[in-house]
Amino acid sequence: MTIAMNPVMRRLAAITALFHLLLVVQIPAANAAMVGTHEVIAEQQHKVDQEQLMAMLDDEQVKEKLVSMGVDRDQVESRIASLTPAELAQFNQQLDQAPAGAGVVGIIVLFLVIFIITDMLCATNIFNFVKCINR
């Protein structure tokens, strides 16, 4: 016994089947992988490095120097948050090698370099003498 479908129902069934097929095809397969110890350590080191730099911003000499240059603390914090793990590691290595009194000067020089680079990349406009290279 066969049941005859009218053309409207046949089209509706075909469209529904097509949408179902498109939805199933778009679902990505889940991938599970082991996370290595070195990856976890690198992520934690990145967080520690960021916290150390943020703590250095609380130093009175650093605050005074940043205010005298007209740089807002929020801008510095956002730049620190956007540094890559390699940049943070390099900076912390430079701080460890610097003499005790030169740490503050090193921090200020680093921030100036970061500001100049972001000005050159048109991400900010802090210094008027720095020309944007993307324009």
Side-chain angles (χ1 to χ4, degrees):
M1 171 174 191
T2 59
I3 301 175
M5 288 178 120
N6 65 16
V8 173
M9 291 301 286
R10 185 172 285 157
R11 286 185 184 140
L12 182 64
I15 291 171
T16 305
L18 180 65
F19 282 132
H20 180 76
L21 180 65
L22 289 174
L23 288 174
V24 169
V25 170
Q26 290 181 353
I27 297 174
N31 292 325
M34 296 293 293
V35 178
T37 305
H38 65 281
E39 294 168 348
V40 174
I41 291 173
E43 181 180 331
Q44 292 300 320
Q45 185 64 41
H46 179 72
K47 289 179 184 178
V48 168
D49 291 344
Q50 278 184 337
E51 290 172 3
Q52 286 176 346
L53 280 179
M54 295 295 186
M56 288 180 188
L57 289 177
D58 292 333
D59 186 80
E60 288 301 319
Q61 291 177 331
V62 174
K63 285 181 186 178
E64 291 172 7
K65 188 65 175 177
L66 290 175
V67 168
S68 70
M69 292 186 308
V71 178
D72 187 29
R73 180 186 170 102
D74 293 334
Q75 289 177 328
V76 176
E77 289 177 355
S78 67
R79 298 276 167 53
I80 291 173
S82 67
L83 288 174
T84 65
E87 292 169 335
L88 274 174
Q90 179 185 7
F91 178 66
N92 280 335
Q93 183 182 12
Q94 290 173 352
L95 279 181
D96 290 341
Q97 294 173 354
V104 173
V105 175
I107 292 171
I108 294 169
V109 168
L110 173 75
F111 290 139
L112 287 174
V113 170
I114 291 171
F115 291 146
I116 290 172
I117 291 172
T118 56
D119 276 1
M120 289 172 59
L121 297 175
C122 304
T124 59
N125 188 16
I126 297 174
F127 301 114
N128 293 333
F129 61 88
V130 177
K131 302 295 182 204
C132 179
I133 61 174
N134 291 334
R135 292 184 198 174

